[in-house]
Amino acid sequence: MASNAQQPPESQEQREESVRLDIPIEEEGAHSQGVNRERGHLEAENEATVDRDPDEPSQKKVGAPALSMYPMSPTSSSLMPIASELMGHHPNLPMGYGAMLPPGGRMQPMNFMTQPRVNIAGSNNVVNISCHVQSTGSVPLATSSSLPNPVPPPNPVPSPNPVPSPNLLESDGEEGKMKAFIKELEGTGRALYGKIQPIPYIEEKLYAVGKVFIEVGMKRRDDHDSWKALGSYHDIFPVEEGDPRIQIIEGDPGYGKSTLALQMVYDWCNKVSGSPFSGPDILICLNLRQLKGITSIAQAIKQFSLPFDSKLELLDVEQLISKNNIWVIFDAYDEYPDQHNKDNFVMQMLKGGILRHVNILLTTRSSCIPPGLDAETGRIRLTGFDEAAQERYIRKVVTGDDEAVKKILEQLNINPTLGDLCQAPLFSVMYAHLTHESSMLHKLSSVTEFFGHMITCFLSHAQNKLPGANESPESLQTHADTHAALDKLAFEALTSKMQQLVWDRTFFVGELGEVFYKLYVDVGILVEEKETYIPAPGKLARRKTVVRFYHKLFGEWYAAYHLIECVKSRSYILPENINLYDLKFLFMFACDLDQPAGSQVIKLLGETKDGETSVVLCAPQLKEWSHDILTTVRRILSSGIDIGRYDSRLLQRSTIQLLELASQHKIPISEVSLVHSFSSVDPDSLPLVLHSGLCLPPLSTLQELTIMTEPGRELTVDEWTGILNYTNHCQLLKVLALYCCLLPWMDSFPASLDNVQVWWVTAIDDHEYYSLQSGRWQNDESGEILTRGAYDDLVTKFREENSDFEWQKQRRAERE
């Protein structure tokens, strides 16, 4: 595609360029026009070195003279207006990453007393000036001949040996460095949290994170490997001596991990009252996606958290983080390019090999937890938006109109599939904004239909807003529909052993073509970022443009199209070491986009190690089950299936749908295990109710039902009766097992249980084990029948042994 794409003519719109000037400083005693050739900074005298962003197309400036080289002196220099003008801040980029010149790209006269000064410190005596220059059309960049002549100071004193001015940070000492460090981190933090864009194509709707942040549900893993609800993100980090200093925040894609990290940065920068994140001396947020090849935390901070013109050296950063109260947020470990390198500095910090005084918070997908963590490492799991959180977001960001809010929420309730999907804040936010504009979303019946509609909305807005789009809508649609090159790039990147989620702009444009690339950047599906890098050891840092998908899920959407083409060749096999659950949406999209290809996808998943969960998610997407699908599902269900309490509603619903379809196809279900997910049951109705609110109906081909409750739970008479009633409607049921709970005393049991083996285990670890024999509980070890008196003793023992578990604590609190 790239080879056939016609490159657009040179645009007259303003275009950003990244420029680096390497200016040698005259050595003490050297001639004013001398050059430091030993370090190789210049090829010839009076010749400037200007390195533009290698990802920007070159543009020859006819008649533009070269920048002249000037010696730097503490009193006067023709370069001072250049340096001072360039050291500003671009309003749409992180602090220090550039400045916008006035129209025409020309410099303006400056007041030397108020403008920032040039940093001329450094062992190589080189001034590094990083800037972003707005050039328009053929207007040349400002050069030495087009600059206003600087006004010399009154009565200048000539100096044959000019000496550079001292570094202000050096004169201020460690306290001055610390103040500068904090100020620069705050500037970068504000740039990070100040540009939240809920819908990527609506550029005018940019928010600071505090304007859109809504707390998601979250739970903390306790000492008993159970998960306890947290009231707020303020409760995440340690508040007492001995609490874990490392916390892992996990969640499925789109559950708000990165947004939560930005809210913490916001709290620190603004010293939000009551937030523990306003307390540390220093808080640093690093996106691990950017840290490929970075070998130390200090290098990462210097390169990505400080402005390009920072006076702080690498050694300064190392010293500052070695002694102060530091909190570090590592965002998106699942996208970390170096995670397979066991000796990377992130793992060294997580395992306590270095910087043990630093508190660490790491976000990642649930399917990508770092290996080998200490048992005391804290674990936080994001559980997404409930209906109350969805309503708070709509009122806070979308609309305050009561009727509009009610209408949006009602449409979610009409379509349970969308309700499950919108448990993920990313989808909930997009749904709320899109539904406010269109009322048709409630008609969508699958994840794929929702995502496809969302992509259509993006492109539709491009149709209406991009210059020239209305004049050639067919051309726009052609570029929107012809995305095979993008599909292949996304698939190969996501399924490789080391996922590549960021590309050089030059490479991407070369693969896709300039027109296609610009369309997808303008639409918001692709996002450009500036990245600092060091080309080689000892070389100066440079900046380049990189590109990524707005969210990893968009990459999975386009990768699904390529997978469809791959599986049409029946000899295709999935790449080795692929994380199937991590890419579950890729496979779900593929199965729903092309039903015949979906059948082959499910067969491949069933033949792949750990592919069972992906089959569970994908099989219900297909309207008809082929022989291959029936075979795959039969094999998976022959070994049983779990429904966990902390599985997403989407996974729980897919599992229930798969079980219902299997029963309809007369496929035997060897076992269903409800792992901490059973909530209640109504004796007058048949389904078992899960904590998520979903219901498991009776399954005609179910052979064994296992219910593992929360440790220490006591079932009521109604709950126990309802479970027994449920089993009566599972015609092939042979075994009913209950774990970790206390059952109520019953004098008799239904006669229908005579053909069912019933097991009751009071705990997982070698405790009382009973089986129902002729309507009586019998101790499986001693063979003794459980009498009422022995049962009362069992109740006392059960409550004592489980007194530390949450269920028993609540029971005692209710009685008190």
Side-chain angles (χ1 to χ4, degrees):
M1 176 178 174
S3 59
N4 297 328
Q6 184 178 358
Q7 298 296 326
E10 188 74 16
S11 173
Q12 295 299 315
E13 300 174 1
Q14 289 189 329
R15 176 172 61 84
E16 235 181 28
E17 294 180 343
S18 179
V19 179
R20 186 197 68 174
L21 305 181
D22 297 345
I23 307 169
I25 304 171
E26 184 183 33
E27 295 286 346
E28 193 169 322
H31 185 271
S32 62
Q33 297 296 321
V35 178
N36 185 349
R37 289 187 176 86
E38 288 184 358
R39 294 189 176 99
H41 293 307
L42 292 179
E43 297 297 331
E45 295 181 353
N46 301 328
E47 181 182 3
T49 302
V50 180
D51 293 335
R52 284 189 176 83
D53 184 343
D55 296 329
E56 292 288 353
S58 61
Q59 187 175 20
K60 187 174 182 180
K61 307 298 181 182
V62 180
L67 278 170
S68 300
M69 298 305 302
Y70 293 89
M72 301 295 294
S73 78
T75 56
S76 174
S77 169
S78 300
L79 272 174
M80 291 299 278
I82 303 177
S84 300
E85 186 71 35
L86 296 182
M87 294 304 231
H89 300 294
H90 192 298
N92 295 322
L93 290 172
M95 175 172 273
Y97 281 174
M100 291 177 62
L101 295 181
R106 299 186 183 277
M107 309 295 181
Q108 301 297 320
M110 310 179 66
N111 185 336
F112 284 56
M113 300 300 293
T114 60
Q115 295 295 335
R117 61 187 300 160
V118 180
N119 172 21
I120 59 175
S123 59
N124 291 329
N125 290 335
V126 175
V127 177
N128 302 325
I129 304 176
S130 175
C131 65
H132 288 273
V133 181
Q134 292 286 344
S135 62
T136 55
S138 59
V139 178
L141 295 175
T143 64
S144 59
S145 62
S146 64
L147 297 175
N149 293 323
V151 180
N155 302 321
V157 179
S159 174
N161 299 312
V163 179
S165 60
N167 190 326
L168 292 181
L169 293 179
E170 292 293 340
S171 61
D172 288 345
E174 186 171 329
E175 183 179 353
K177 293 180 181 180
M178 184 64 172
K179 290 180 179 178
F181 192 39
I182 292 174
K183 183 177 181 180
E184 292 177 353
L185 289 174
E186 288 177 344
T188 301
R190 290 189 175 94
L192 288 174
Y193 71 66
K195 295 173 295 190
I196 303 296
Q197 196 170 356
I199 304 296
Y201 61 76
I202 308 181
E203 295 181 357
E204 60 271 19
K205 290 188 177 181
L206 289 174
Y207 304 88
V209 68
K211 297 292 185 182
V212 298
F213 178 74
I214 298 293
E215 291 221 40
V216 299
M218 57 184 70
K219 295 180 180 288
R220 185 199 299 277
R221 189 179 67 176
D222 61 20
D223 295 337
H224 304 290
D225 206 24
S226 298
W227 295 84
K228 179 181 178 182
L230 284 182
S232 168
Y233 72 97
H234 289 175
D235 302 325
I236 290 177
F237 253 130
V239 293
E240 297 179 359
E241 188 71 25
D243 285 347
R245 68 175 184 86
I246 300 176
Q247 301 286 343
I248 307 297
I249 295 186
E250 60 183 270
D252 280 349
Y255 268 57
K257 301 180 291 295
S258 295
T259 304
L260 177 58
L262 292 180
Q263 179 64 31
M264 296 169 182
V265 175
Y266 176 89
D267 288 0
W268 181 73
C269 290
N270 295 279
K271 299 299 179 281
V272 174
S273 177
S275 172
F277 295 93
S278 63
D281 298 331
I282 296 170
L283 186 141
I284 297 158
C285 183
L286 293 167
N287 192 313
L288 291 177
R289 181 184 65 242
Q290 300 175 316
L291 304 190
K292 182 178 181 179
I294 301 297
T295 58
S296 73
I297 179 69
Q299 182 187 358
I301 294 169
K302 171 67 176 169
Q303 197 159 322
F304 293 97
S305 295
L306 301 183
F308 205 56
D309 58 347
S310 174
K311 297 180 176 71
L312 290 166
E313 303 291 343
L314 187 63
L315 181 60
D316 297 329
V317 177
E318 291 174 349
Q319 292 174 342
L320 290 169
I321 65 175
S322 67
K323 5 180 127 168
N324 293 286
N325 179 17
I326 312 291
W327 289 13
V328 174
I329 301 172
F330 289 127
D331 188 28
Y333 176 82
D334 53 290
E335 300 181 15
Y336 182 31
D338 292 346
Q339 63 178 265
H340 298 287
N341 175 10
K342 297 180 181 179
D343 296 325
N344 66 72
F345 78 91
V346 176
M347 286 307 302
Q348 291 181 38
M349 292 180 65
L350 291 175
K351 293 182 178 181
I354 55 175
L355 298 175
R356 296 181 182 178
H357 67 289
V358 175
N359 287 328
I360 300 173
L361 188 148
L362 180 142
T363 73
T364 185
R365 289 191 180 193
S366 301
S367 57
C368 191
I369 305 297
L373 296 178
D374 189 280
E376 295 184 356
T377 300
R379 293 275 295 276
I380 308 293
R381 178 176 289 166
L382 302 187
T383 58
F385 272 180
D386 56 15
E387 186 171 332
Q390 290 169 347
E391 180 175 352
R392 288 198 299 272
Y393 179 85
I394 295 169
R395 291 187 181 279
K396 185 175 182 179
V397 183
V398 181
T399 176
D401 181 77
D402 290 341
E403 285 301 317
V405 172
K406 182 180 178 181
K407 183 177 180 181
I408 294 173
L409 292 174
E410 283 179 348
Q411 290 179 356
L412 276 179
N413 293 326
I414 292 173
N415 190 328
T417 300
L418 282 180
D420 297 345
L421 183 64
C422 289
Q423 182 184 6
L426 174 71
F427 290 122
S428 181
V429 166
M430 290 190 174
Y431 176 85
H433 285 275
L434 294 176
T435 304
H436 191 49
E437 300 177 3
S438 170
S439 60
M440 67 165 293
L441 265 71
H442 72 276
K443 300 178 182 179
L444 307 177
S445 60
S446 71
V447 177
T448 307
E449 288 184 4
F450 175 84
F451 215 88
H453 178 79
M454 189 166 58
I455 296 292
T456 301
C457 288
F458 287 11
L459 296 171
S460 175
H461 273 257
Q463 177 86 20
N464 297 331
K465 297 181 68 175
L466 291 181
N470 292 326
E471 286 75 8
S472 55
E474 297 82 5
S475 175
L476 177 64
Q477 191 61 44
T478 298
H479 285 293
D481 293 340
T482 310
H483 45 74
L486 182 62
D487 303 341
K488 183 179 180 181
L489 273 177
F491 182 80
E492 291 179 348
L494 291 170
T495 58
S496 62
K497 183 177 180 179
M498 298 177 64
Q499 289 186 352
Q500 180 180 358
L501 301 170
V502 178
W503 296 264
D504 286 347
R505 181 188 185 279
T506 301
F507 169 79
F508 222 76
V509 171
E511 293 292 314
L512 305 182
E514 184 74 39
V515 175
F516 181 96
Y517 175 83
K518 186 177 185 304
L519 169 64
Y520 274 65
V521 169
D522 289 338
V523 166
I525 294 173
L526 296 177
V527 177
E528 287 185 339
E529 295 178 338
K530 291 294 183 182
E531 182 178 279
T532 306
Y533 72 104
I534 299 175
K539 298 292 185 180
L540 295 173
R542 298 186 61 186
R543 290 177 58 72
K544 64 179 179 180
T545 304
V546 296
V547 61
R548 61 174 176 85
F549 283 101
Y550 172 76
H551 192 280
K552 190 175 178 181
L553 286 172
F554 286 79
E556 294 185 50
W557 171 263
Y558 287 99
Y561 283 95
H562 187 71
L563 177 61
I564 290 170
E565 296 303 314
C566 290
V567 299
K568 289 179 180 178
S569 167
R570 290 192 168 264
S571 61
Y572 177 77
I573 60 174
L574 290 172
E576 294 183 4
N577 302 314
I578 185 174
N579 189 330
L580 298 178
Y581 188 74
D582 182 52
L583 299 175
K584 58 181 176 289
F585 283 101
L586 189 163
F587 300 107
M588 292 174 66
F589 291 150
C591 290
D592 208 4
L593 287 168
D594 190 311
Q595 297 277 319
S599 179
Q600 186 64 17
V601 169
I602 290 176
K603 181 182 178 182
L604 282 173
L605 292 172
E607 296 170 349
T608 305
K609 182 182 178 181
D610 301 325
E612 294 83 358
T613 301
S614 296
V615 172
V616 170
L617 287 165
C618 293
Q621 305 285 324
L622 301 184
K623 296 178 176 60
E624 295 183 3
W625 282 8
S626 66
H627 174 75
D628 287 340
I629 294 179
L630 291 171
T631 301
T632 300
V633 172
R634 184 177 287 107
R635 180 167 51 80
I636 289 175
L637 295 182
S638 66
S639 57
I641 196 166
D642 295 347
I643 302 178
R645 177 171 184 173
Y646 301 108
D647 293 340
S648 67
R649 282 177 58 93
L650 184 63
L651 177 56
Q652 286 189 357
R653 186 180 294 279
S654 296
T655 303
I656 293 171
Q657 290 175 340
L658 181 77
L659 294 171
E660 290 184 282
L661 290 170
S663 289
Q664 293 173 14
H665 285 88
K666 308 301 181 183
I667 297 176
I669 304 169
S670 66
E671 181 184 6
V672 171
S673 297
L674 304 182
V675 183
H676 300 172
S677 57
F678 170 76
S679 174
S680 61
V681 63
D682 187 338
D684 298 326
S685 64
L686 297 179
L688 301 179
V689 182
L690 307 183
H691 282 295
S692 63
L694 299 178
C695 295
L696 177 67
L699 303 169
S700 60
T701 61
L702 177 62
Q703 297 175 341
E704 180 174 346
L705 174 64
T706 297
I707 299 177
M708 182 183 296
T709 70
E710 306 90 326
R713 177 170 177 176
E714 300 181 18
L715 295 183
T716 65
V717 173
D718 287 344
E719 289 169 342
W720 182 216
T721 302
I723 292 172
L724 296 177
N725 188 33
Y726 175 89
T727 62
N728 290 337
H729 292 81
C730 298
Q731 293 88 338
L732 299 183
L733 190 71
K734 298 177 181 178
V735 178
L736 171 63
L738 298 104
Y739 291 86
C740 303
C741 60
L742 180 67
L743 296 179
W745 176 261
M746 293 185 70
D747 292 320
S748 62
F749 290 88
S752 59
L753 289 179
D754 292 344
N755 298 322
V756 178
Q757 288 184 320
V758 183
W759 303 98
W760 171 30
V761 185
T762 58
I764 292 296
D765 301 326
D766 192 26
H767 282 268
E768 306 294 336
Y769 196 104
Y770 297 92
S771 61
L772 195 62
Q773 302 290 338
S774 302
R776 298 293 183 192
W777 288 115
Q778 177 179 306
N779 187 300
D780 197 60
E781 183 176 345
S782 66
E784 297 179 357
I785 298 298
L786 185 67
T787 64
R788 181 57 191 257
Y791 172 80
D792 291 340
D793 293 339
L794 177 62
V795 171
T796 301
K797 180 181 178 182
F798 179 87
R799 289 173 177 172
E800 290 176 351
E801 292 179 342
N802 293 279
S803 60
D804 291 336
F805 288 105
E806 192 63 26
W807 205 97
Q808 286 295 325
K809 290 180 180 180
Q810 292 178 0
R811 184 191 66 83
R812 291 196 300 270
E814 290 172 359
R815 294 191 176 185
E816 293 172 357

